[in-house]
Amino acid sequence: MAYKPQYGPGSSTIAENRRKQMDPSKKLEKVRDISDEDIVLLMGHKAPGAAYPSAHPPLTEGEPDCPVRKMVVPIDGAKAGDRIRFIQFADSMYNAPCHPYQRSYVESYRYRGVDPGTLSGRQIVECRERDLEKIAKELVATELFDPARTGIRGSTVHGHSLRLAEDGMMFDMMQRCILDKKAGMVKYVKNQNSEPLDKEVKVGKMMDDKWLKAHSTIFHSLVGVPFRSDQEYVEYVQRVHSLRTKYGFMPEE
Amino acid sequence: MTDAIYPQVRIVSERLLNPETVERVMNLIVATEGVRRAILNGPRIPPTITYGPAKGQPNPHEMRKIIKIGDQNVELQVHVGTILLELENKDVIPAIRAACEAGFRDLPWYLQEGRFMKTSPSLVDYAKYGPDADKAIIGMADPGSKSGPVIIQGIK
């Protein structure tokens, strides 16, 4: 029988959203438009339109005779010898559409040649530069991103577990993005490394609370779906915890 | 150091506060005439960028503003989320509540009574600040800081 991944337990909307995001057969809902140039500006690794600097010669110029290299099809950036670059996100606990662990799962299931790294309040994904641009565009333009509750932050990422500001924006020590109250639009004035941008990058309107609650993948007992309300999830986590604890004592289950 | 005879309260809002809200609330609180000391707490907003390729560049931030409390200018260095107060006596607490009610308007908040400031210097305080540190500040802010406390006069 062919293996069918289940992606995760749970019967709540949170669990459903998690499974939907992780499952590569399901298309992520596109929520906003962002241009290639804007993504390059946000990441700040090179000037828009500049050639990709390389870290090594293209793979076509002499590869050692290696069976593994023949077996693995390289991604475009690896073929061209691009540098490895990153994009990093901070997600608010207050119903952000994605969160660090979830992001790593999503990227591992959906993309090839990526190196996601999860930390408590932020998540970094590394990849060859030209492939990263494509991935970053998808991560920002789809339902995985909310301009107010998700931040593109290379350093000084503090904000995940803090209360929101009065206008609903997640705290950012460097205020990389500001809310244009008239237009209701969030715009980045600094790139992810806090360097001021020559031109503002608009990342769309902040989503309303109803949309966020329906699309969130974070349990939150006060503003969202409480973890304990999802019995199936609780049972699963308790089972994992129990087996891990008993492991050293030869579990017989 | 705080003295055990003075009651303390902590005011926490549901959201981190804009400087205008802090100014409004603090002026109403100060006008109750029962506050001995106050601390505005929250995540720090540094004046310059602290890390990365832009390190050392100025860090313009909407929440780092100079507000006026009483007749004194106070430069906010944090995005205020919690207000700690040391009061003259417990009788002022209803007036503080009323001030918060008026100042926060629709924003949810709560007030707790308890002990939120240090009552005696710890070993770490001694190691960090030495024997001659200003005991009035230990447990509230860094006694080594160049910017001292703001003293608001003429409210009584």
Side-chain angles (χ1 to χ4, degrees), chain A residues 30-70:
Chain A
K30 195 175 176 214
V31 182
R32 60 190 69 80
D33 281 314
I34 185 151
S35 66
D36 294 342
E37 186 196 345
D38 285 349
I39 282 291
V40 173
L41 281 171
L42 281 179
M43 291 198 288
H45 297 311
K46 70 178 183 76
Y52 294 104
S54 59
H56 60 76
L59 295 185
T60 46
E61 292 178 17
E63 273 253 90
D65 188 24
C66 164
V68 177
R69 284 174 198 244
K70 280 177 191 158

Side-chain angles (χ1 to χ4, degrees), chain B residues 53-110:
Chain B
K55 187 176 176 178
Q57 284 187 26
N59 177 32
H61 201 296
E62 280 175 2
M63 301 301 161
R64 195 187 162 87
K65 271 189 187 161
I66 294 173
I67 60 171
K68 196 160 189 183
I69 303 178
D71 57 353
Q72 290 290 317
N73 285 335
V74 179
E75 190 191 0
L76 292 178
Q77 298 175 20
V78 295
H79 195 169
V80 180
T82 308
I83 300 168
L84 302 183
L85 302 174
E86 187 181 74
L87 308 173
E88 298 280 0
N89 54 56
K90 278 200 162 186
D91 302 340
V92 243
I93 294 176
I96 300 277
R97 278 188 196 277
C100 293
E101 200 75 53
F104 284 120
R105 294 178 185 164
D106 296 335
L107 195 67
W109 59 277
Y110 62 83

Side-chain angles (χ1 to χ4, degrees), chain B residues 106-149:
Chain B
D106 296 335
L107 195 67
W109 59 277
Y110 62 83
L111 182 145
Q112 293 171 312
E113 292 174 46
R115 192 140 294 279
F116 307 105
M117 300 173 192
K118 264 188 193 175
T119 49
S120 59
S122 64
L123 185 69
V124 171
D125 290 327
Y126 186 85
K128 272 166 97 172
Y129 310 121
D132 303 323
D134 183 357
K135 287 199 170 58
I137 295 185
I138 285 185
M140 295 177 77
D142 179 6
S145 165
K146 283 175 197 158
S147 60

Side-chain angles (χ1 to χ4, degrees), chain A residues 4 10 18 48 58 73 92 99 114 154 159 179 194 207 244-245 247:
Chain A
K4 262 190 174 173
R18 287 182 181 186
V73 181
S92 173
H99 68 261
V114 291
L179 174 66
S194 315
M207 308 306 277
R244 283 179 62 157
T245 312
Y247 180 71

Side-chain angles (χ1 to χ4, degrees), chain A residues 14 17-18 20-22 28 89-107 110 120-123 139-140 142-146 149-151 160 170 211-212 214-219:
Chain A
I14 302 283
N17 292 340
R18 287 182 181 186
K20 188 195 163 197
Q21 290 184 0
M22 282 192 266
L28 292 170
F89 294 93
D91 300 281
S92 173
M93 278 176 23
Y94 289 92
N95 283 341
C98 206
H99 68 261
Y101 266 99
Q102 172 74 4
R103 276 185 190 281
S104 287
Y105 278 119
V106 172
E107 286 153 6
R110 285 182 180 266
S120 52
R122 59 187 157 130
Q123 193 265 1
L139 293 177
V140 175
T142 57
E143 58 182 299
L144 298 174
F145 186 85
D146 171 58
R149 312 285 164 100
T150 309
H160 161 76
M170 178 168 58
W211 187 92
L212 285 168
H215 287 78
S216 178
T217 54
I218 304 182
F219 289 108

Side-chain angles (χ1 to χ4, degrees), chain A residues 2-247:
Chain A
Y3 170 69
K4 262 190 174 173
Q6 295 173 346
Y7 298 109
S11 52
S12 55
T13 52
I14 302 283
E16 192 53 49
N17 292 340
R18 287 182 181 186
R19 283 194 289 269
K20 188 195 163 197
Q21 290 184 0
M22 282 192 266
D23 186 351
S25 68
K26 292 189 178 151
K27 205 165 184 278
L28 292 170
E29 183 190 337
K30 195 175 176 214
V31 182
R32 60 190 69 80
D33 281 314
I34 185 151
S35 66
D36 294 342
E37 186 196 345
D38 285 349
I39 282 291
V40 173
L41 281 171
L42 281 179
M43 291 198 288
H45 297 311
K46 70 178 183 76
Y52 294 104
S54 59
H56 60 76
L59 295 185
T60 46
E61 292 178 17
E63 273 253 90
D65 188 24
C66 164
V68 177
R69 284 174 198 244
K70 280 177 191 158
M71 212 157 59
V72 181
V73 181
I75 54 174
D76 292 346
K79 258 187 226 164
D82 285 357
R83 303 177 300 178
I84 288 181
R85 286 294 173 264
F86 74 94
I87 186 165
Q88 185 168 249
F89 294 93
D91 300 281
S92 173
M93 278 176 23
Y94 289 92
N95 283 341
C98 206
H99 68 261
Y101 266 99
Q102 172 74 4
R103 276 185 190 281
S104 287
Y105 278 119
V106 172
E107 286 153 6
S108 304
Y109 278 120
R110 285 182 180 266
Y111 309 118
R112 286 187 67 229
V114 291
D115 181 7
T118 309
L119 296 105
S120 52
R122 59 187 157 130
Q123 193 265 1
I124 187 168
V125 56
E126 296 181 357
C127 185
R128 299 284 186 158
E129 200 162 358
R130 71 188 68 195
D131 300 288
L132 177 70
E133 283 172 16
K134 283 182 212 151
I135 292 168
K137 193 172 174 183
E138 192 168 323
L139 293 177
V140 175
T142 57
E143 58 182 299
L144 298 174
F145 186 85
D146 171 58
R149 312 285 164 100
T150 309
I152 303 169
R153 304 178 183 184
S155 59
T156 328
V157 296
H158 195 36
H160 161 76
S161 60
L162 297 184
R163 279 167 280 168
L164 302 171
E166 279 187 50
D167 56 11
M169 299 284 287
M170 178 168 58
F171 174 78
D172 184 3
M173 207 177 263
M174 298 306 163
Q175 203 169 44
R176 277 159 271 229
C177 55
I178 49 177
L179 174 66
D180 183 345
K181 280 181 189 145
K182 268 189 192 162
M185 186 75 82
V186 176
K187 50 194 187 183
Y188 274 76
V189 291
K190 295 177 186 173
N191 68 17
Q192 63 171 350
N193 291 321
S194 315
E195 293 168 301
L197 290 170
D198 295 334
K199 102 179 211 243
E200 290 166 350
V201 173
K202 289 180 182 156
V203 287
K205 293 189 175 184
M206 55 197 278
M207 308 306 277
D208 58 50
D209 284 347
K210 200 177 157 201
W211 187 92
L212 285 168
K213 207 171 170 187
H215 287 78
S216 178
T217 54
I218 304 182
F219 289 108
H220 197 293
S221 57
L222 295 177
V223 295
V225 180
F227 175 62
R228 288 181 189 190
S229 69
D230 191 338
Q231 193 56 35
E232 190 186 325
Y233 224 120
V234 173
E235 273 172 25
Y236 182 81
V237 170
Q238 282 175 343
R239 183 178 136 79
V240 171
H241 178 73
S242 160
L243 291 181
R244 283 179 62 157
T245 312
K246 290 176 192 160
Y247 180 71

